[in-house]
Amino acid sequence: FLATLLGFRLAGEGVERVRDLQPPQGREQVFRATREFVERLAAGQPLVVLHPGAGGKRKQWGAAQFAAVAAHLRRQWNARALFSEVPLDREAVQAVLAAAPATGTRRIALDNLRRLAAVLRRCHLFIGNDTGITHLAAAAGVATVAIFQCTDPRAWAPRGPRVRVLEKPSPAEVSEAAEQLLETSWKGSLTHAR
């Protein structure tokens, strides 16, 4: 129901794709509905948004690598993986989901930056390629792992105290950076919630 209110198309484990939705109109309504949606989706576990798309295939980290990191975070942290997609990223997300274990993965298609920003603000960790979406996550203050394949991170990387930039990393390196960030973002949110 909340996905319908937000205008999200969500697909994955036991959830049907939702089409032609009318999003909430006001900013506060969007953020309130997003908070409720993400809390239900996370179900008390850390929520990790992974964005495997990029403006070009050369900038994309491999589908198998994203799947391996999602599986690792699921095993080690019981994290919920949410693969985000904007219209041009559908193929990249499909490739990751084909390589990913089905347990605990979801896919969310977003066609509106305001809704995407609202989801990002509620997640505990973002992992993505060298894209504008990765910059948006970092600017929103989200713990962010930025993966660079072919461009110079000294010139193009997002900045911030909660940003880890990795060049041509292995899944183990991304998993390690993700776990370091989850130590503060997830455990810190538990401390603040008390």
Side-chain angles (χ1 to χ4, degrees), residues 163-184:
V163 176
R164 300 294 178 272
V165 178
L166 303 174
E167 275 188 271
K168 298 181 181 176
S170 68
E173 291 169 315
V174 173
S175 294
E176 181 180 340
E179 288 195 70
Q180 290 170 357
L181 289 166
L182 278 172
E183 281 290 330
T184 56

Side-chain angles (χ1 to χ4, degrees), residues 6-156:
L6 289 169
F8 296 142
R9 292 175 307 167
L10 180 68
E13 186 178 279
V15 181
E16 297 297 321
R17 183 171 286 278
V18 181
R19 300 178 191 270
D20 303 321
L21 304 171
Q22 294 301 314
Q25 298 303 311
R27 179 181 171 167
E28 289 304 315
Q29 189 180 12
V30 167
F31 285 115
R32 183 177 55 253
T34 300
R35 183 185 68 244
E36 293 170 8
F37 169 73
V38 170
E39 286 171 359
R40 282 174 97 195
L41 185 63
Q45 302 305 318
L47 182 66
V48 179
V49 174
L50 300 101
H51 190 80
K57 290 201 183 289
R58 289 182 45 226
K59 294 172 106 179
Q60 291 179 0
W61 201 44
Q65 288 92 325
F66 270 103
V69 170
H72 173 82
L73 294 175
R74 177 70 172 172
R75 281 189 311 273
Q76 297 301 315
W77 287 79
N78 199 26
R80 306 287 180 169
L82 181 63
F83 291 96
S84 66
E85 123 189 355
V86 294
L88 296 176
D89 299 327
R90 182 163 292 132
E91 185 179 308
V93 173
Q94 287 174 335
V96 172
L97 291 176
T103 306
T105 61
R106 296 277 196 275
R107 171 185 190 166
I108 189 166
L110 299 156
D111 60 359
N112 177 298
L113 285 179
R114 181 169 49 164
R115 282 178 267 188
L116 176 58
V119 169
L120 292 175
R121 289 184 60 200
R122 303 304 303 177
C123 73
H124 298 99
L125 176 66
F126 175 88
I127 302 171
N129 293 308
D130 172 19
T131 68
I133 305 303
T134 301
H135 283 270
L136 181 62
V142 177
T144 300
V145 177
I147 301 168
F148 279 72
Q149 291 295 96
C150 64
T151 54
D152 185 353
R154 293 172 298 185
W156 300 107

